[in-house]
Structures are given as structure tokens and as C-alpha cells.
Amino acid sequence: RPDTVRERGALAPQECAPAMDGFSDSQRAVMRLATVAVAAGALMWLLNWSQRRPLLLGATTLVEEREALKPLQAELCRRFFAVCMEVAGVAKTVRSKIREQNVDITDDKLREQLSRQCQVYGKLRDMYAEIAKRAGVSLDELQELQRRHSADPEVHAYTEGVQKMLDTALGGVMPVLPNVQIPPALTEDKVLEILAEVHDLETQTVLKRLKGQKISVKDLGEALTAAYKEAWETTLEAHQSEIVGGNEVYHSSLALYMQREGFAEKRKALDDKHQQRMLELFQPDHHKYPSAQSPGNGAKLGSTSK
């Protein structure tokens, strides 16, 4: 009866007829969500693709690129390690004088002045640029490579290790090479034995070069510096079979062992003994040793320790 149906409220055709596509409302809702998700995923893929940079260093995969990056980082760290060793020596001397003279200066300010005096950041920038050029990439690309592979522990250690070495050196403490592996032969006793050999050779070199001579303070300082460097180079070269990985490995071993109280005391005893021997070389009553005189008044030097 039409009237009855009209009174009850006739349904619209689309509400009473079954869905022509065979899906219920809930199924269609799910499909719409899936479509949106696919579209969003496609958009993100396009964005990532447009922003992705090509592989560098001649690599065809990210793994190859990462492994090609590590030797570049290792070389940078080895070269910067030498700079930090020099900085550590300067910082140690300056900090000692500041304590003796009770100079009022903050640690941050002192670090800033030491960095500028030693031209640290200029040297580091030049090293980065040289290594990047040799690898066939720009400086920005080299830095991008480090960021791209920063999740790798070895890459991360190299990247962070540069700043860590500098921070340590500015504190007047010997740095440690990032990712260094200490050879089994470089025990605490062996490291101290090599250090003692360096001291002996330095003393012998000074005696050989300066015996019986009168020398100015300036020339004396240069002679002592040359003897110091020669002693280290000669001694470490003689122990290359035990120092696997370069001289940086020995110095890093020494720095790590210095964190142990017992070792630090033994090293100090060696250094004190060596310093005393060097002082005795220039005492007036030791006629068998060379005399070092100032060009101005001919006064004997009482201390020549470094």
C-alpha cells in the first residue's frame, strides 16, 4: 500500500538498494584510508628521491661508500693527532706557568687563546680540504659522508674523535688516537722501557753535539729540540715490530696507561731522573760536560730542561 509506505517514511533509492560495487560502507572506508596511505608513501618516496645525493668515492652501494670513507677519516685523525700532540705540550707548559704565577683566567678563555696561538682550526681545515681533494670530493661532500654514515660506530668514533683529541690536548694532556688498537707487545713495562731508551739517546745526542762548545741560549734551545725529536724518531723506528700501526699507537698507549695511577708514578720517576741528568750537563762543577753561555754576558745556564 503506497500510502502506508509513505506514512512510514519511504527510503531513498540509494539507501534501500544494495551497493553496486559489492563493498559495504566499512570496507569502502578502509579502502579510502589505504589509498591515502599509498599516496602519502609515494609522495615521501618522491621527496626522498629528489633529495637523495648520489653515492660518492666511486662506490656503487652505501656499504662500499662507508668502507671507502673510513681510510680517509683514519688519515685525517693520524695527521691531526700530531698537531694535538704539539698542542698538548704547549698547553701543559702554559698551564703550569699560570698556576705558578696565579694568573686569573677562565678555562674556556685559555682554551680559546691556545687554539688561536697554535692555529689549530686553520690546520684542521687545511687537512680536511687536502684529503677531500685527493678523494675527489668537495669539503661539503666529505662532511656529508660523515653525517650519512654516522650510525656506524667506527665512523662515529673517527668523527667525534677529532674534537675529543683537541679537547684533551688543550687541557695539557696527551691525546688518544680514535679507534686505536693497542698491540699486545706494548705492555706497560714495554712502554716505559722505550721511554727510558728515548731519554738515554737524547742525553747522548746532546753530549755528542755540544761537548766542549760554548753556545748561545737560542742555539742551545734549538739543539735540545733537535736532540729530543731525533731520540724519539730513532727509538720508535727501532721498535716498529712491537709498535704496529705507527708511532701514534705508541703515544696513544702511553696516554692510555697514564690514566692508571701506578703507571703515572713510574713515568714521573723516569721523567724526573731524566730532567736531573739534563740539568747536570750544564752545571759549572761538571767540567766534562759542555758549557752553555749567553752571548751577552757569558753566564752559565743553570737549567736547560724542556
Side-chain angles (χ1 to χ4, degrees):
R1 297 172 52 187
D3 292 338
T4 305
V5 172
R6 191 177 296 112
E7 291 172 358
R8 294 177 180 176
L11 299 175
Q14 66 271 27
E15 294 180 286
C16 60
M20 297 301 294
D21 56 10
F23 295 103
S24 67
D25 290 342
S26 60
Q27 288 174 323
R28 284 196 295 274
V30 171
M31 291 180 65
R32 284 195 294 271
L33 289 174
T35 301
V36 172
V38 170
L43 178 60
M44 290 301 298
W45 184 88
L46 287 172
L47 289 174
N48 289 334
W49 181 84
S50 65
Q51 295 174 358
R52 185 192 310 167
R53 296 188 177 185
L55 294 172
L56 301 169
L57 304 178
T60 57
T61 67
L62 283 173
V63 173
E64 288 182 3
E65 184 182 68
R66 182 190 68 209
E67 295 308 306
L69 170 64
K70 291 178 181 179
L72 302 181
Q73 289 185 298
E75 180 183 354
L76 174 70
C77 287
R78 282 195 299 270
R79 293 178 60 179
F80 192 56
F81 178 86
V83 173
C84 290
M85 284 287 291
E86 294 178 359
V87 172
V90 173
K92 183 178 180 180
T93 300
V94 171
R95 287 176 177 275
S96 177
K97 291 181 178 179
I98 286 176
R99 286 192 297 269
E100 291 174 1
Q101 300 174 13
N102 197 26
V103 178
D104 184 16
I105 184 173
T106 65
D107 186 67
D108 289 343
K109 187 66 176 178
L110 176 59
R111 287 172 177 270
E112 178 186 343
Q113 292 182 1
L114 286 170
S115 298
R116 187 166 56 250
Q117 175 185 341
C118 298
Q119 301 178 334
V120 171
Y121 293 108
K123 294 176 182 178
L124 180 59
R125 182 175 59 252
D126 291 344
M127 289 178 188
Y128 264 114
E130 184 179 335
I131 290 174
K133 181 179 180 180
R134 192 164 63 249
V137 298
S138 68
L139 186 56
D140 288 341
E141 286 174 330
L142 180 57
Q143 293 173 341
E144 168 61 25
L145 283 168
Q146 293 187 123
R147 288 191 293 268
R148 185 184 300 176
H149 298 287
S150 60
D152 181 84
E154 193 173 355
V155 171
H156 180 75
Y158 278 132
T159 303
E160 296 297 316
V162 171
Q163 186 62 51
K164 187 174 182 180
M165 283 193 295
L166 179 57
D167 289 342
T168 301
L170 290 173
V173 179
M174 294 172 60
V176 176
L177 187 70
N179 290 317
V180 67
Q181 298 293 326
I182 307 301
L186 276 184
T187 62
E188 290 189 18
D189 289 341
K190 190 63 181 181
V191 168
L192 289 174
E193 177 185 325
I194 292 174
L195 181 60
E197 290 181 23
V198 172
H199 289 167
D200 288 341
L201 183 56
E202 181 183 3
T203 304
Q204 294 170 16
T205 302
V206 170
L207 283 172
K208 181 179 179 180
R209 290 183 177 180
L210 304 182
K211 187 174 182 180
Q213 298 184 31
K214 292 184 178 181
I215 188 170
S216 68
V217 175
K218 178 179 179 295
D219 291 340
L220 175 62
E222 293 176 355
L224 290 175
T225 298
Y228 174 83
K229 291 182 177 180
E230 181 180 330
W232 273 108
E233 292 173 0
T234 302
T235 304
L236 292 182
E237 179 65 27
H239 288 276
Q240 283 303 303
S241 60
E242 298 141 311
I243 306 172
V244 182
N247 296 347
E248 302 88 358
V249 175
Y250 173 82
H251 291 298
S252 294
S253 301
L254 180 58
L256 287 171
Y257 290 149
M258 280 295 292
Q259 298 174 13
R260 305 175 182 178
E261 184 176 352
F263 181 90
E265 292 175 353
K266 293 178 182 178
R267 193 264 171 91
K268 185 178 183 304
L270 274 179
D271 287 345
D272 290 346
K273 179 180 178 181
H274 177 58
Q275 183 180 35
Q276 184 60 36
R277 289 178 63 188
M278 294 296 289
L279 287 172
E280 290 175 355
L281 294 182
F282 303 96
Q283 293 300 319
D285 57 339
H286 286 70
H287 61 276
K288 64 179 180 178
Y289 296 127
S291 60
Q293 296 186 340
S294 168
N297 53 22
K300 295 287 184 67
L301 294 178
S303 173
T304 61
S305 61
K306 291 169 58 62

